[in-house]
Amino acid sequence: MALPRGRARDVALLALYALGFVLTHKLAAAWDGDGYYSLWFPAAGVRFALLWRAGARLTLPVAAVELGMDLLTGAVVLTRSDWFMLVSAVVRPVFAYGLIVVVTRRLLRGMESRGVMFTAPMPFAVAAVLAPIAASLAAIPQALLRPDLTGITDFRAMVLSLNAFAIGDLLGVLLVAPPLLWVADHISGKNRFTIRHRSAPILIESASVLGFGILLGVGLAWVGLGLQPAPVLVAIAWVGLRLGRFGAWCALLIVATIVLPFTATEMSTAARLNLHLGLATLVVTGYLAGSFSDAQARAREALARRDRLLFQAERLKTLRAMSVAVIHEISQPLSTLSIEARHLHESAENAPPEVVATAALIHAKATQLSELVRRLRRYGGRAVDEPTPLPVSALMDSVLALARPEISAAGVGLAVGRVDSNLIVLGQEVELAQAMMNLIRNAAQACGTGGEVSLVVEQEGETVRLCVENGCAPGRSSQPGMGVGTMIARAIVEAHGGTLVRATEKNGRVRATITLPLVGEPA
């Protein structure tokens, strides 16, 4: 029996993870120390990337995969007396990583408006730093209760060992997880990561600062002052603040390429630990600085978008006031016209067929215009709220509550796709709901009794697409409307920084697609 699509994808991810875990675990053996954890543990980066990408729901399967791979490769040998402690030692870091992913996402979700620290990609950077620390802290009880399993017999050695654990995981997470996630985003088409384009002078300046910092650090070591991380630390922080996290990661990769091959050679554990401690300091500082720079840029863009929306909201208020005045002026003559058109239609029963058809057409159009004016009057009386973060799922709930009775009364079916609860736009709920209702009414009117209107919500990169599509009953063609509802919907959508595109598909179905920019980081 075939697996569901989501389950099959999870199985494929876990299979790839098993292979990556084994390969990176073997790679880490070159940086093992006597009685210490590996001081460079790239498997932690693969683990964190998977849990951050797929969600903490895979924590238990990931733990099972790691345990199975450790048993198959002989990295862990279970004994009858100590099997529980050995199993917990393997799965404990995975659960610590999963817990940090859950806590970070839940605490920081929807808090972008409270400051740069809560704006993407800062949640990822914070979680990437906290997860290795949490995993090392979780090892303290076992280190105290069963020191014989790790070969650590005194408190000082235990502290050094746990520090080495945290350092190795920090280096693995911050050097390995970001490129894996960028590649996954690119393959899936969810291009949440974009490289900020910088001018040539800024790139040259950053490269010069990094080169000078490295040369200064090497020079201090050459004159006998030892390897001092401070010059490189300042240079890495500068690059991160100027170029963002991608620039910071590239700079860190250069430094790690210099340090890691050197520390893989024969040297004392204390010397290796000292070098990796300095490298971990550089990695944490550089990636946090780059993430802060990207978050600040994203916050500025969100603020600029909000300012534009506020300006458009003021324009909408002005246009609404003007439209109310115009509607008031034309409503009375139009009501009279509608009454007279009905009279004409009723009195033309015995007239020639062409007169009857003309009278019926005049009556139908006059009635349609009167209904449109009544809707515009109700719409014009609503207050305009300031744009706020609005979950797309909440918007769709509001729209469906209004649309279902009308659609049902018109004898039209309504199909609604699944809506991701993590998609958030910045807008005015009343305005956007009105735009969606206009499109739904148009679609229902076009397909007529027996037809179907479908609503689909899709994420495309950093935007969300709200699609309204109509399908006529067999033997019936789509009926054109006056286009006023679409014009009003387009004005509302464009005031929210989005677009509205109406297209006819090859199968004759008409699709109207609203595209709006997303705010916040998708889960």
Side-chain angles (χ1 to χ4, degrees), residues 59-216:
T59 300
L60 186 58
V62 168
V65 167
E66 291 197 15
L67 179 60
M69 292 300 101
D70 282 342
L71 292 174
L72 288 175
T73 58
V76 173
V77 179
L78 297 182
T79 61
R80 181 174 299 180
S81 59
D82 294 324
W83 70 268
F84 179 78
M85 297 296 289
L86 291 170
V87 169
S88 65
V90 173
V91 303
R92 184 181 56 243
V94 183
F95 284 100
Y97 276 49
L99 177 63
I100 291 298
V101 169
V102 169
V103 171
T104 304
R105 287 193 180 280
R106 289 190 177 178
L107 287 181
L108 302 184
R109 181 182 297 167
M111 299 176 66
E112 291 204 25
S113 60
R114 303 188 185 183
V116 174
M117 285 298 296
F118 301 107
T119 303
M122 283 303 295
F124 171 83
V126 171
V129 173
L130 292 181
I133 296 174
S136 63
L137 292 178
I140 291 179
Q142 181 173 333
L144 292 174
L145 295 174
R146 295 296 306 272
D148 54 300
L149 293 179
T150 57
I152 301 171
T153 56
D154 59 84
F155 181 77
R156 180 176 179 275
M158 182 191 73
V159 172
L160 290 176
S161 179
L162 295 178
N163 283 337
F165 180 4
I167 290 169
D169 275 27
L170 275 172
L171 293 177
V173 169
L174 290 175
L175 290 176
V176 175
L180 289 179
L181 291 172
W182 297 337
V183 170
D185 281 349
H186 180 73
I187 293 175
S188 65
K190 298 179 179 179
N191 295 317
R192 294 189 290 262
F193 171 72
T194 55
I195 300 175
R196 289 159 50 193
H197 297 288
R198 292 300 188 186
S199 62
I202 293 180
L203 294 175
I204 294 173
E205 167 205 298
S206 300
S208 301
V209 170
L210 178 62
F212 179 76
I214 294 174
L215 290 176
L216 184 57

Side-chain angles (χ1 to χ4, degrees), residues 330-331 334-335 337-338 362-376 482 484:
I330 67 173
S331 60
L334 191 59
S335 297
L337 176 62
S338 178
I362 294 174
H363 179 222
K365 293 300 181 182
T367 302
Q368 187 177 358
L369 283 173
S370 297
E371 178 64 23
L372 176 62
V373 168
R374 281 194 293 271
R375 289 177 183 172
L376 288 174
M482 299 180 64
V484 179

Side-chain angles (χ1 to χ4, degrees), residues 325-347:
V326 172
I327 291 168
H328 178 73
E329 292 297 327
I330 67 173
S331 60
Q332 186 61 38
L334 191 59
S335 297
T336 303
L337 176 62
S338 178
I339 294 172
E340 294 299 327
R342 186 175 69 250
H343 262 221
L344 177 63
H345 185 214
E346 293 173 351
S347 61

Side-chain angles (χ1 to χ4, degrees), residues 437-455:
M437 283 300 302
N438 285 358
L439 298 179
I440 293 172
R441 288 189 183 112
N442 286 350
Q445 181 183 358
C447 62
T449 304
E452 182 183 68
V453 175
S454 62
L455 304 181

